[in-house]
Amino acid sequence: MRDTMLSQASAEVTALRALAWVVTDQERGMRFLALTGCDAATLRRRAGETDVLGAVLDFLLDDETALRAFADEVDLPAQSVALARFALPGALRR
C-alpha cells in the first residue's frame, strides 16, 4: 500500500491541475461553484487551501465522465485522483 501513497504536496499539485481543468469549461465550473456554494472570487482567493483542493477532487470523483476526461487530458491514471484525495486532509477513509 505504501507504494501507492502520494505526498500531500503531490496531491496538491494534482488538485490544482484538476481545479484549472474544471474552470476551463464554463458549465463545469459553474456546476462546481454551485455544488460547493462558493463564488468565483472566493474560489480564486482560496484556491490553494486544502479543503478547496479536496472539494475539487471530490467533484471529479463524483462524476466518472469528468474524472476520465480530466485524467485523459492531463495524462494521469484516473486512480491517481483518488490517491491524491486520500493524501489531503478531510478525505473519507473507506
Side-chain angles (χ1 to χ4, degrees):
M1 181 78 160
R2 185 57 117 171
D3 295 339
T4 60
M5 299 292 292
L6 289 179
S7 70
Q8 184 169 332
S10 292
E12 289 173 358
V13 169
T14 298
L16 285 168
R17 292 176 76 190
L19 176 58
W21 183 83
V22 165
V23 300
T24 59
D25 179 84
Q26 184 174 0
E27 183 179 324
R28 187 173 48 233
M30 295 304 288
R31 193 172 78 241
F32 175 74
L33 291 176
L35 288 171
T36 60
C38 195
D39 62 35
T42 302
L43 180 60
R44 279 190 295 277
R45 189 174 65 252
R46 296 186 58 210
E49 295 179 16
T50 56
D51 58 333
V52 172
L53 297 175
V56 171
L57 297 177
D58 288 338
F59 176 76
L60 289 179
L61 291 167
D62 286 342
D63 181 346
E64 187 173 351
T65 302
L67 171 63
R68 290 188 183 283
F70 166 70
D72 287 346
E73 189 165 315
V74 300
D75 197 29
L76 284 174
Q79 73 185 31
S80 66
V81 175
L83 294 173
R85 183 60 186 109
F86 286 125
L88 294 176
L92 293 177
R93 308 289 184 210
R94 295 181 183 157

